């Protein structure tokens, strides 16, 4: 059993459905107590960092999430969930949760042919092995939609990278926290594989 | 590097699959959920459902279709047709649509784009434009005009201006549908697609006219589209999704080749 944190940050049912497909029952909840008690937590999100932080902090969800992470239980961040786990986002100049040292920057692309947001399927290259990335092979692509990208301070927190003019971190992690910039729930078979690995993950690396 | 996307569009009327030819005649060609699963298994990158149900009482049938597909198909799912309000958009999102396409109602009331963008996020609003070729004039500097109601009603709006305005209002993506090319199978409108793709920073999906793999190649290269939308080409079994992707890949277009 997992919980999916609901903080008005997007369509959570697609995450729930993808979890169901791999046999992971997941409850969507906006109640911080449910999150504190959960065996494993998914922290998804689309939208803007500013409003997401406001919503998390006003409900006490930020505290609950930190508690779960401190306790060592597995947590998976997705997209905006990844971005607000760093220290600061350039989007609305927002201080964020600080679970992983680093910041989130806006894409500034020299090539006028490259579109913003970075939307579509792109290759994810594993640079450091991790239980959740097991089975992902060279050339496997995942679905992305984002206008900002994460830049962790410490290379040891970067598990996969993706190229969009230059290279950015597309999967980050620290101990029992792991997060992807891409959407595993919308990435076909390879995305489902990652969610299946999350189902069995004990939080160790 | 980002891959180009192959998108299949399924027109749905009363819960059944239909294929429009020049928007006017439509005929039923099967079960949308089954088709969606088939294309997903064959490597499709994204699905679009267009609801062409005439009566509003039958709209809930579409929500059912979306819900069933979302349970089985784990790629981005985009839904449009008859979206007139934030409530319509939200209902479809809850049923499982990632992206919402707005079209006619946004031409009539452009604030619909910003309202939906605010409610469900910029990146999830797709502005779908039906466009016809006209004489270049002061009114139509681009030589293309926006039409609505499935191509029946010309709106007196220049297509290039509307694309730029849509982007400013918060659309996250554009569908450029040429009604001159739609259903002809003679190829996409390359001039139009390239012109709009150059004018905006958001991704552009080319629509209308695909009949041969060459057409897809042309629109993803010369036409500068980020994605190509196909319908009858794959619906009637003339080509498969994987075969189209492989052909594009073999000709040097970056496509997602493992799924």
């Amino acid at each position: 059993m997992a919980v999916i944190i609901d903080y008005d940050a997007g369509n959570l049912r697609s995450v729930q459905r993808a979890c169901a497909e791999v046999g992971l029952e997941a409850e969507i909840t906006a109640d911080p107590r449910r999150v504190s008690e959960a065996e494993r937590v998914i922290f998804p999100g689309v939208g803007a960092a500013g409003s997401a932080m406001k919503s998390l902090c006003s409900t006490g969800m930020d505290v609950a999430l930190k508690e779960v992470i401190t306790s060592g239980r597995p947590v998976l961040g997705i997209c905006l969930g990844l971005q607000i786990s760093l220290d600061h986002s350039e989007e609305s100049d927002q201080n964020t949760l600080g679970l992983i040292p680093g910041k989130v920057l806006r894409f500034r692309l020299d090539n006028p042919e490259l579109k913003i947001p970075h939307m579509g399927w792109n290759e994810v290259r594993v640079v450091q092995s991790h239980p959740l990335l097991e089975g992902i092979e060279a050339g496997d692509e995942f679905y992305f939609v984002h206008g900002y990208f994460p830049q962790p301070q410490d290379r040891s927190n970067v598990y996969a990278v993706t190229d969009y003019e230059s290279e950015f971190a597309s999967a980050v992690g620290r101990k029992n926290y792991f997060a992807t910039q891409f959407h595993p729930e919308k990435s076909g078979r390879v995305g489902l594989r990652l969610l299946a690995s999350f189902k069995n993950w004990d939080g160790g690396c | 590097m980002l891959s180009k996307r192959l998108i299949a569009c399924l027109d749905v009327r009363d819960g059944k699959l239909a294929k429009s030819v020049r928007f006017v005649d439509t005929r039923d060609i099967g079960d949308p959920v089954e088709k969606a699963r088939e294309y997903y298994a064959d490597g499709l990158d994204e699905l679009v459902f267009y609801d062409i149900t005439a009566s509003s009482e039958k709209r809930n049938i579409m929500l059912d279709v979306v819900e069933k597909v979302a349970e089985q198909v784990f790629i981005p799912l985009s839904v449009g047709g008859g979206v007139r309000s934030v409530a319509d958009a939200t209902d479809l999102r809850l049923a499982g649509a990632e992206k919402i396409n707005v079209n006619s109602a946004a031409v009539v009331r452009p604030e619909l784009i910003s309202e939906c963008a605010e409610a469900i996020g910029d990146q999830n609003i797709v502005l779908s434009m039906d466009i016809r070729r006209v004489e270049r004039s002061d009114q139509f500097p681009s030589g293309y005009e926006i039409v609505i109601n499935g191509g029946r009603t010309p709106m007196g709006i220049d297509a290039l201006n509307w694309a730029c305005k849509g982007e400013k209002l918060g659309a996250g993506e554009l569908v450029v549908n040429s009604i001159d090319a739609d259903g002809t199978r003679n190829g996409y409108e390359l001039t139009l697609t390239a012109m709009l793709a150059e004018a905006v920073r958001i991704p552009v999906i080319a629509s209308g006219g695909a009949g041969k793999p060459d057409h897809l190649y042309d629109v993803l290269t010369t036409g500068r589209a980020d994605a190509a939308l196909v319908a009858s080409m794959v619906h009637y079994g003339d080509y498969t999704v994987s075969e189209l992707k492989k052909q594009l890949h073999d000709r040097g277009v970056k496509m997602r080749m493992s799924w």
Side-chain angles (χ1 to χ4, degrees):
Chain A
M1 179 76 181
V3 304
I4 299 171
I5 299 183
D6 178 6
Y7 58 110
D8 296 329
N11 193 4
L12 309 180
R13 283 182 66 196
S14 57
V15 177
Q16 189 181 36
R17 286 188 183 100
C19 287
E21 181 71 12
V22 300
L24 175 58
E25 197 190 327
E27 171 197 341
I28 295 172
T29 184
D31 180 355
R33 283 168 305 184
R34 297 291 294 156
V35 173
S36 307
E37 296 159 1
E39 195 181 292
R40 58 189 72 237
V41 173
I42 299 176
F43 180 38
V46 293
S51 54
M53 275 306 288
K54 206 187 282 171
S55 161
L56 281 174
C57 297
S58 69
T59 56
M61 194 61 94
D62 56 333
V63 178
L65 181 62
K66 283 180 181 167
E67 261 173 40
V68 172
I69 289 172
T70 312
S71 76
R73 283 168 283 166
V75 179
L76 174 64
I78 298 173
C79 195
L80 185 66
L82 182 164
Q83 298 200 348
I84 56 183
S85 68
L86 302 189
D87 294 314
H88 184 268
S89 175
E90 203 180 351
E91 188 177 22
S92 31
D93 188 20
Q94 176 70 47
N95 284 326
T96 43
L97 295 171
L99 306 172
I100 290 177
K103 55 195 172 183
V104 170
L105 301 171
R106 191 153 60 90
F107 279 119
R108 289 183 182 77
L109 305 173
D110 294 327
N111 180 352
E113 299 219 349
L114 292 181
K115 302 299 177 106
I116 299 174
H118 173 229
M119 183 188 286
W121 298 79
N122 203 336
E123 199 172 325
V124 168
R125 278 203 313 282
V126 177
V127 293
Q128 196 183 162
S129 66
H130 190 283
L132 296 197
L133 297 175
E134 216 158 273
I136 291 170
E137 289 168 13
D140 282 347
E141 297 184 26
F142 288 81
Y143 187 75
F144 290 84
V145 189
H146 59 122
Y148 293 75
F149 65 95
Q151 195 177 65
Q153 197 178 300
D154 189 342
R155 197 73 195 169
S156 69
N157 294 133
V158 179
Y159 286 88
V161 295
T162 293
D163 288 324
Y164 198 50
E165 191 165 274
S166 50
E167 189 181 282
F168 70 89
S170 49
V172 303
R174 188 167 172 269
K175 298 182 188 164
N176 54 316
Y177 179 75
F178 187 81
T180 62
Q181 182 56 64
F182 51 84
H183 290 268
E185 77 281 13
K186 285 287 152 189
S187 296
R189 184 187 51 84
V190 290
L192 294 176
R193 176 169 206 141
L194 190 150
L195 292 173
S197 302
F198 176 68
K199 181 180 100 171
N200 299 320
W201 188 35
D202 64 2
C205 310
Chain B
M1 201 172 120
L2 191 64
S3 291
K4 300 283 188 181
R5 282 172 282 159
L6 181 66
I7 303 177
C9 181
L10 301 168
D11 285 346
V12 178
R13 190 185 44 218
D14 304 341
K16 295 231 173 62
L17 199 52
K19 170 58 195 146
S20 62
V21 176
R22 284 179 188 267
F23 276 36
V24 185
D25 298 326
T26 58
R27 48 183 170 137
D28 292 345
I29 53 173
D31 173 24
V33 181
E34 210 171 283
K35 276 280 188 221
R37 287 176 49 164
E38 175 193 326
Y39 296 158
Y40 168 62
D42 199 29
L44 188 72
D45 298 314
E46 191 165 327
L47 254 179
V48 181
F49 280 113
Y50 224 75
D51 188 6
I52 54 170
T53 304
S55 73
S56 50
E57 309 88 76
K58 291 189 176 167
R59 292 237 164 242
N60 287 338
I61 300 177
M62 190 60 186
L63 294 177
D64 265 5
V65 170
V66 172
E67 183 120 28
K68 283 205 191 93
V69 171
E71 275 165 12
Q72 306 174 49
V73 169
F74 300 96
I75 53 174
L77 178 58
S78 182
V79 182
V83 175
R84 288 188 180 79
S85 64
V86 169
D88 291 342
T90 310
D91 286 348
L92 287 165
R93 289 265 297 168
L94 282 176
E98 222 57 48
K99 305 182 189 181
I100 303 301
N101 287 50
V102 294
N103 191 335
S104 302
V107 179
V108 176
R109 200 175 66 82
E111 308 78 55
L112 178 64
I113 300 171
S114 41
E115 290 165 11
C116 287
E118 173 82 12
I120 66 171
D122 286 15
Q123 68 273 33
N124 299 317
I125 294 299
V126 183
L127 175 60
S128 193
M129 302 183 297
D130 294 331
I131 299 171
R132 69 165 188 178
R133 216 174 5 239
V134 291
E135 282 283 308
R136 229 179 260 270
S137 64
D138 287 348
Q139 190 184 5
F140 303 114
S142 69
Y144 290 94
E145 180 183 17
I146 296 294
V147 294
I148 64 168
N149 296 331
R152 289 180 208 96
T153 315
M155 293 302 286
I157 297 169
D158 183 75
L160 182 59
N161 287 345
W162 177 231
C164 295
K165 187 171 175 186
E167 181 182 29
K168 278 203 199 81
L169 286 168
E173 213 170 8
L174 294 182
V175 174
V176 176
N177 186 46
S178 162
I179 64 150
D180 302 307
D182 188 63
T184 64
R185 297 192 172 212
N186 290 329
Y188 296 94
E189 238 277 25
L190 298 181
T191 314
L192 169 68
T193 311
M195 177 174 70
L196 297 188
E198 274 167 44
V200 298
R201 196 74 206 253
I202 51 179
V204 165
I205 301 168
S207 163
K212 293 192 299 186
D214 279 356
H215 298 152
L216 277 73
Y217 177 80
D218 293 343
V219 86
L220 293 172
T221 53
T222 320
R224 306 178 75 151
D226 300 284
L229 192 139
V230 293
S232 52
M233 257 184 111
V234 292
H235 296 338
Y236 298 113
D238 301 343
Y239 297 93
T240 64
V241 167
S242 54
E243 164 185 22
L244 289 175
K245 288 181 72 162
K246 180 161 190 314
Q247 289 205 23
L248 289 164
H249 168 79
D250 289 348
R251 292 182 71 180
V253 179
K254 173 82 167 62
M255 302 298 292
R256 176 176 68 114
M257 293 310 291
S258 73
W259 52 83

